[in-house]
């Protein structure tokens, strides 16, 4: 039987509706507007698209946005000076530096320079630590947060299930594992991480009740790597050449959607799965940052 599609666009739409109401209350009752700074260094075409999508989403929600673009050859001094300015700008509650930056930029140093209370990506060590210990004063990183919400809204409770995360990046794989193992409602899974150093990858992925692919390799997950009835979440967004299309490329995930949807019970599409959720959760974190900075409780 064909898998049920987990509609990330629709779920992100519901979360967005709630946030629009919250932003309106903040304006009406507290006279505050959340603000997000989005920093892009260089001209990477995919990054440009993502940054513009984030700015557009802010406008849809009534969130103030400040887009800053630095040239591809910008140095650390220039970028750190900008971070300092944004750290001290009261209109800005959240700061995001689009990843990956050009090679001359020391990304770790840039992340460390962002004030933890404005680190809506949850990349700063303070927030990563808070997430790991289950301290909700920090943030939850947008993509793994989006995956947890997709599971929640589609009625998949990870408790007692075996979740296998493919990939161990700081942005997705590692925090994804941390969230799934929390002793908390909507989590409490048994977690395995499969990565490039894992020798028996398929053997492990075939044990997954929930399989989360986040490795950035087009259509890596094939049907024979998936247990019949598994829930499959595809975090990948890969551009592959497609001369027949207008842009010359098409977007595919880390999962062979056509083949795997014949085996899985539920599956996310690409695009329209995890992608819209990442942006929705970024907006959520920006609103949370604003409320915390203004000492407003729910
Ligand atoms: N590049 C890919 N995903 C992300 C993300 O969640 N945040 C930032 N800043 N850059 C990214």
């Amino acid at each position: 039987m064909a898998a049920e599609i987990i509609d990330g666009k629709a779920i992100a739409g519901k979360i967005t509706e709630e946030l629009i109401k919250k932003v309106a209350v903040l304006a009406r009752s507290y006279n505050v507007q959340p603000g997000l700074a989005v920093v892009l260094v260089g001209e990477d075409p995919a990054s440009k698209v993502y940054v513009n999508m984030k700015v557009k989403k802010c406008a849809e929600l009534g969130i103030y946005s400040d887009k800053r673009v630095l040239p591809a050859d910008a140095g650390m001094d220039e970028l750190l000076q900008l971070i300092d300015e944004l750290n001290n700008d009261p209109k800005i509650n959240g700061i995001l530096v689009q990843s990956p930056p050009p090679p001359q930029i020391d990304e770790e140093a840039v992340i460390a320079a962002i004030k933890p209370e404005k680190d809506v990506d949850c990349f700063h060590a303070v927030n990563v630590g808070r997430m790991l210990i289950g301290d909700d004063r920090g943030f939850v990183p947008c993509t793994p947060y989006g995956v947890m919400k997709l599971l929640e809204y589609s009625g998949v409770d990870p408790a007692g299930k075996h979740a296998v995360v493919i990939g161990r990046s700081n942005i997705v794989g590692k925090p994804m594992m941390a969230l799934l193992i929390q002793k908390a409602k909507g989590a409490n899974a048994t977690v395995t991480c499969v990565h490039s150093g894992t020798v028996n990858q398929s053997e492990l992925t075939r044990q997954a009740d929930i399989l989360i692919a986040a490795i950035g390799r087009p259509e890596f997950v094939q049907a024979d790597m998936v247990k019949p009835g598994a829930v499959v979440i595809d975090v990948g967004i890969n551009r592959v050449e497609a001369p027949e299309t207008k842009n010359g490329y098409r977007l595919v995930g880390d999962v062979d959607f056509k083949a795997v949807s014949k085996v899985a019970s539920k599956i996310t599409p690409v695009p329209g799965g995890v992608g819209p959720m990442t942006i929705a959760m970024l907006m959520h974190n920006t609103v949370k940052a604003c409320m915390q900075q203004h000492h407003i409780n729910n």
Side-chain angles (χ1 to χ4, degrees):
M1 223 177 75
E4 184 187 316
I5 305 292
I6 299 177
D7 187 345
K9 207 169 159 201
I11 298 169
K14 286 186 201 166
I15 292 170
T16 300
E17 288 304 314
E18 290 305 310
L19 286 171
I20 287 173
K21 285 185 209 155
K22 212 166 198 176
V23 171
V25 170
L26 289 177
R28 201 169 50 236
S29 306
Y30 299 94
N31 197 28
V32 298
Q33 182 185 27
L36 176 68
V38 185
V39 179
L40 173 65
V41 185
E43 298 278 334
D44 177 69
S47 290
K48 267 176 152 173
V49 171
Y50 295 138
V51 160
N52 288 337
M53 282 163 72
K54 288 165 186 173
V55 168
K56 211 170 133 199
K57 198 72 185 175
C58 283
E60 185 189 333
L61 272 81
I63 292 175
Y64 167 74
S65 70
D66 185 353
K67 174 175 149 185
R68 301 293 188 100
V69 182
L70 298 184
D73 62 354
M76 280 297 283
D77 285 355
E78 199 179 340
L79 183 51
L80 290 176
Q81 200 184 329
L82 173 59
I83 300 294
D84 187 53
E85 179 196 328
L86 297 168
N87 273 340
N88 292 301
D89 183 343
K91 293 193 299 303
I92 296 300
N93 307 112
I95 302 170
L96 173 151
V97 180
Q98 188 64 30
S99 181
Q104 78 277 12
I105 299 297
D106 175 352
E107 194 171 12
E108 260 179 52
V110 174
I111 291 167
I114 296 172
K115 271 188 187 170
E117 60 265 38
K118 294 193 176 187
D119 166 43
V120 284
D121 259 331
C122 189
F123 290 173
H124 193 290
V126 165
N127 288 320
V128 175
R130 282 178 173 157
M131 176 206 41
L132 191 63
I133 63 174
D135 175 347
D136 65 9
R137 283 175 307 165
F139 300 100
V140 178
C142 307
T143 300
Y145 200 2
V147 172
M148 297 305 278
K149 287 283 169 193
L150 282 178
L151 294 174
E152 179 190 325
Y153 276 73
S154 45
V156 179
D157 184 0
K161 306 245 168 62
H162 186 190
V164 176
V165 179
I166 315 178
R168 55 176 158 184
S169 68
N170 287 340
I171 295 188
V172 186
K174 287 182 196 168
M176 192 73 252
M177 294 174 67
L179 293 178
L180 284 161
I181 58 160
Q182 293 300 315
K183 195 169 185 176
K185 197 164 170 279
N188 218 11
T190 300
V191 181
T192 298
C193 183
V194 164
H195 49 75
S196 54
T198 305
V199 285
N200 52 345
Q201 291 180 339
S202 304
E203 204 178 297
L204 291 165
T205 60
R206 271 198 299 272
Q207 292 174 30
D209 302 309
I210 300 169
L211 183 61
I212 300 169
I215 34 167
R217 287 175 61 182
E219 299 179 332
F220 174 82
V221 176
Q222 292 294 319
D224 63 357
M225 297 169 70
V226 179
K227 176 164 84 174
V231 173
V232 178
I233 307 288
D234 189 350
V235 180
I237 307 181
N238 309 289
R239 285 183 178 203
V240 294
E241 276 185 30
E244 74 280 7
T245 65
K246 205 169 68 182
N247 312 325
Y249 68 86
R250 65 190 173 90
L251 294 177
V252 299
D254 290 351
V255 174
D256 182 341
F257 180 84
K258 205 168 156 209
V260 173
S261 57
K262 292 186 181 122
V263 180
S265 62
K266 295 177 197 258
I267 189 167
T268 57
V270 175
V274 176
M277 294 299 291
T278 297
I279 301 191
M281 301 330 291
L282 172 67
M283 298 297 117
H284 169 95
N285 282 352
T286 303
V287 171
K288 177 177 178 177
C290 171
M291 291 172 69
Q292 283 184 340
Q293 285 158 40
H294 289 279
H295 308 288
I296 299 168
N297 296 318
N298 269 354

